[in-house]
Amino acid sequence: MPVAQTPLSTALLIDGELVAGEGVVEPILNPATGQVLTPIAEASAEQTEAAILAAHRAFAGWARTTPQQRSNLLLEIASTIEQHADAFARLEALNCGKPLHLARKDDLSATVDVFRFFAGAVRCQTGQLSGEYVPGYTSMVRRDPIGVVASIAPWNYPIMMAAWKIAPALAAGNTLVFKPSEHTPLSILALAPALARILPRGVINIICGGGENVGAHLVGHPKVRMVSLTGDIVTGQKILSTAAKTLKRTHLELGGKAPVIVCDDADLQAVVEGVRAYGYYNAGQDCTSACRIYAQAGIHDRLVAELGAAVSSIRYAGAHDADNEIGPLISTRQRDRVSSFVERALSQPHVECVTGAAMHAGPGFYYQPTLLAGCRQTDEIVQREVFGPVVTVTRFDELAQAVDWANDSEYGLASSVWTQNLDKAMQVAARLQYGCTWINSHFMLVSEMPHGGLKRSGYGKDLSSDSLQDYSVVRHIMARHGQHL
Ligand code: NAD
């Protein structure tokens, strides 16, 4: 099992065998230092094909297992991850630059819980009643697996995103080809030997590679029946157009630009603590990040002042990792992208830099936690996902205006409203067009509740029993038996 001091696992998992990639060799970096951790050979076209065919062969047998059998294997995966959680957390910290204590406390705990949740959920699914809808015929509904699922993951929470995709797909009886982000394959490759041991041959295959070659190969393949992506909107659009050719089911979890509506009567201290934590967590590389504040006129100035002070106290890039609260961006490209968003925002006279707005001077791909005030609804920085440690503040007078602005977005994933008036909170929550609205909180996810977007944030739900439905199909069985009794 993985221990960061021992050689890193770089083998792919294809048809139950751990094999070296035979495709392009890419360096895997530690974004906290910029140093190469290891080269990884991606899957060749032949290996990608072999992975798909292995999943296809394994499907008939896996689909016939009982929920109890699948549940037991998911529980075994969960226990294995839990037993080696420190080592997996070290890999997440190395490959993403995350503070180790946060990777261990948050990412690994959630990963284990997701496998356990789906192990339980698949055994207590409910559905429609069977019955006679034509005299002499009994109709019943089955929920069956779909087939081979290609799961394509992003880099922000590598092992947790893998769990979100793998657990419900396997629980529902599908087989998989899983492709991690080309930036962050280390934790799932470290899990691959255990998956090979626990699961029947071919049920899960793990291959590395870039989106345009390995990813596109998976999406275009006729034997892949479903594609599940967590990623950028543009990637979702490309996948949809390729998947259309073979009419695949798609499950898309795309970007976000979460509005945070702060009313005059909000608990200011709670808002400051909440946004300091949930606007900057994971260096803002989170699709639910609390990044777009609408602050009512009566609280606006105090909020900007207190939040600015709080954000400037966020600890990062320190030599003592246990003190760090956020890590770097995943790559120089992502850091430069964040930086150019902020530069363009600040080139407008009405935008004020409260704190941050610069790259970190030392090694690693860090960007200073940044708070921008005076932003307007039509500004690019208010409209587009930055995916970095950047939060904007826009002032509003009437609550109806804030709700309209919050909804005036191509995104529809997460949102929050902060007020001590529950009537007001409930009315705002009902009007927001987002997959999730938190009241006096932000960012909290639980395995039991659905997570997913509206509008260009995609569709399809992760977590919860809704996800099991997305990874299965409804079928009607009708039996003619006459009416002889
Ligand atoms: P990305 O879209 O660049 O990459 C995601 C995955 O898609 C990677 O594995 C990549 O290799 C693959 N890919 C890229 N092009 C492809 C193609 N043409 N065909 C097949 N696969 C392809 O996204 P990213 O930069 O890794 O992640 C950041 C994005 O993910 C952000 O927009 C973020 O909001 C989003 N995200 C959404 C959620 C959610 O739950 N909605 C969660 C996390 C991240």
Side-chain angles (χ1 to χ4, degrees), residues 237-320:
Q237 289 167 327
K238 285 185 193 165
I239 282 178
L240 270 184
S241 85
T242 308
K245 298 194 180 84
T246 43
L247 275 182
K248 291 181 187 2
R249 179 181 285 214
T250 53
H251 182 279
L252 302 179
E253 287 288 357
L254 308 175
K257 185 78 186 173
V260 178
I261 298 178
V262 182
C263 302
D264 280 345
D265 61 1
D267 175 342
L268 179 62
Q269 199 50 39
V271 179
V272 169
E273 282 170 19
V275 176
R276 183 186 185 280
Y278 309 131
Y280 298 89
Y281 187 83
N282 210 32
Q285 299 167 110
D286 190 293
C287 50
T288 67
S289 169
C291 58
R292 177 164 56 113
I293 299 178
Y294 294 104
Q296 202 159 17
I299 200 169
H300 174 277
D301 293 354
R302 283 177 296 141
L303 174 62
V304 169
E306 293 199 20
L307 185 58
V311 171
S312 61
S313 74
I314 293 175
R315 298 181 301 276
Y316 64 98
H320 191 231

